[in-house]
Amino acid sequence: MDEATFAVPLWAWAAVGTVIAVMLAVDMLLHRDHHVIELREALIWSGVWIIAGLAFGVLIWFWRGNEPAVAYYSGYLLEKALSVDNVFVFALLFDYFRVPAGYQHKVLFWGVIGALAFRLVFIFAGAELLDRLAWAGFVLGAFLIWTGWRLAVRGEPDVDPDHNVAVRLFRRLAPTEPRYHGDRFIVRLHGRRRATLLLVALVAIEATDMIFAIDSVAAILAITTNTFLVWTATAFAVLGLRSLYFCLAGLLRHFGYLRYGLAVLLAFAGLKLMLAETPVGKLPIWLTLAVVVLALSVSIGWSVIAARRGPRHSAGG
């Protein structure tokens, strides 16, 4: 049995949902003028979201005890690490669409709303599969190991929107305007509604994030199948994605070896899922937390050292 399994009352779900909604509303209100996010503001907001995520883990600790809290923190750290990969891809997409800096926060805001919705669906579907079908653990585990291998060997996935099925389908189905009209997603021209380039960029962000969501949700479900812990860990990590983007978008080239750490985490999560369906059973949650911290520390430290030595020592260099 999952050590972190416990009954979650409806009021707990409602309370978390209310807190998330309020924080999103405050964030949207403070950025309604579409000002360019400077590093100082991004760092402050990143701190706010990180403190909120860590504080929630403390509440879990006092409410349900040690095992659920460690499971939450393990999932939170894992999702936070995987979200760094999202930041890199978002930076490429913003550069491709030439999204004005003042409108990037709005695209990321609605992108996060979509990301939370997709992940909530994937979490409940994945947990149900693992609960009902014993072989689902082997399938998801093999998928994560393959994903980790692909990330280590091939690097980042192709993010060219011209090859993105969702973007191409959207452009075929919806009349689109090949330029920006301020911060508007839809405009009326010559009596006909058209999607602006800003909305096309948002579709590209959402479509790409769905791919990341499958990987990240499957990885966290390897830690615990408690949907409340998985959802809250994922939500608090994803909520800070916008601020993380404005903090790291220009610094990611200095973390060339981070993808190897993420690859190790994905492969480890896959192995953990598969072992849970064997006589070995579930690995201890403390071991998962230790592997997450070690993999991130080594890959980030390796990246920093390589960056200081020069480009010839960087990943793939």
Side-chain angles (χ1 to χ4, degrees), residues 150-161:
R150 184 186 61 181
L151 178 60
V153 174
R154 297 173 55 186
E156 302 298 336
D158 180 17
V159 296
D160 186 351

Side-chain angles (χ1 to χ4, degrees), residues 137-151:
F138 290 102
V139 174
L140 285 177
F143 170 74
L144 284 173
I145 292 174
W146 174 77
T147 301
W149 173 85
R150 184 186 61 181
L151 178 60

Side-chain angles (χ1 to χ4, degrees), residues 253-274:
R253 60 181 176 274
H254 298 297
F255 295 92
Y257 290 102
L258 180 60
R259 80 169 193 261
Y260 295 111
L262 299 179
V264 169
L265 293 181
L266 288 172
F268 175 75
L271 179 63
K272 192 172 185 290
L273 270 177
M274 298 174 76

Side-chain angles (χ1 to χ4, degrees), residues 187-216:
V187 294
R188 181 181 290 276
L189 296 174
H190 309 296
R192 189 179 185 187
R193 291 183 184 275
R194 288 183 175 272
T196 66
L197 192 56
L198 196 66
L199 183 55
V200 177
L202 175 59
V203 171
I205 291 285
E206 295 284 20
T208 305
D209 182 72
M210 282 188 66
I211 300 174
F212 285 107
I214 296 172
D215 295 343
S216 64

Side-chain angles (χ1 to χ4, degrees), residues 161-244:
D162 290 335
H163 299 156
N164 189 298
V165 176
V167 173
R168 293 170 64 183
L169 181 61
F170 179 79
R171 279 176 162 162
R172 284 189 178 185
L173 297 178
T176 58
E177 179 70 9
R179 60 180 183 271
Y180 294 100
H181 290 262
D183 67 330
R184 300 170 67 182
F185 287 127
I186 299 176
V187 294
R188 181 181 290 276
L189 296 174
H190 309 296
R192 189 179 185 187
R193 291 183 184 275
R194 288 183 175 272
T196 66
L197 192 56
L198 196 66
L199 183 55
V200 177
L202 175 59
V203 171
I205 291 285
E206 295 284 20
T208 305
D209 182 72
M210 282 188 66
I211 300 174
F212 285 107
I214 296 172
D215 295 343
S216 64
V217 169
I220 295 182
L221 286 173
I223 298 173
T224 177
T225 54
N226 184 306
T227 52
F228 183 76
L229 293 179
V230 174
W231 163 242
T232 51
T234 300
F236 280 108
V238 170
L239 283 170
L241 187 56
R242 290 151 301 154
S243 301
L244 187 65

Side-chain angles (χ1 to χ4, degrees), residues 52-200:
L54 296 178
F56 188 80
V58 174
L59 290 178
I60 293 292
W61 198 300
F62 281 106
W63 180 36
R64 302 305 308 185
N66 176 66
E67 291 290 349
V70 174
Y72 167 82
Y73 280 125
S74 299
Y76 175 78
L77 285 176
L78 180 59
E79 179 66 37
K80 202 71 174 174
L82 292 174
S83 67
V84 173
D85 241 17
N86 296 40
V87 170
F88 177 77
V89 173
F90 293 167
L92 292 178
L93 288 172
F94 280 148
D95 183 65
Y96 178 90
F97 285 106
R98 300 291 189 269
V99 179
Y103 303 147
Q104 290 178 5
H105 183 275
K106 180 174 182 177
V107 174
L108 289 176
F109 178 87
W110 291 107
V112 164
I113 299 295
L116 291 175
F118 290 138
R119 281 165 170 75
L120 187 61
V121 173
F122 291 161
I123 286 168
F124 279 95
E128 189 69 15
L129 278 175
L130 290 173
D131 184 56
R132 292 181 176 272
L133 304 174
W135 51 265
F138 290 102
V139 174
L140 285 177
F143 170 74
L144 284 173
I145 292 174
W146 174 77
T147 301
W149 173 85
R150 184 186 61 181
L151 178 60
V153 174
R154 297 173 55 186
E156 302 298 336
D158 180 17
V159 296
D160 186 351
D162 290 335
H163 299 156
N164 189 298
V165 176
V167 173
R168 293 170 64 183
L169 181 61
F170 179 79
R171 279 176 162 162
R172 284 189 178 185
L173 297 178
T176 58
E177 179 70 9
R179 60 180 183 271
Y180 294 100
H181 290 262
D183 67 330
R184 300 170 67 182
F185 287 127
I186 299 176
V187 294
R188 181 181 290 276
L189 296 174
H190 309 296
R192 189 179 185 187
R193 291 183 184 275
R194 288 183 175 272
T196 66
L197 192 56
L198 196 66
L199 183 55
V200 177

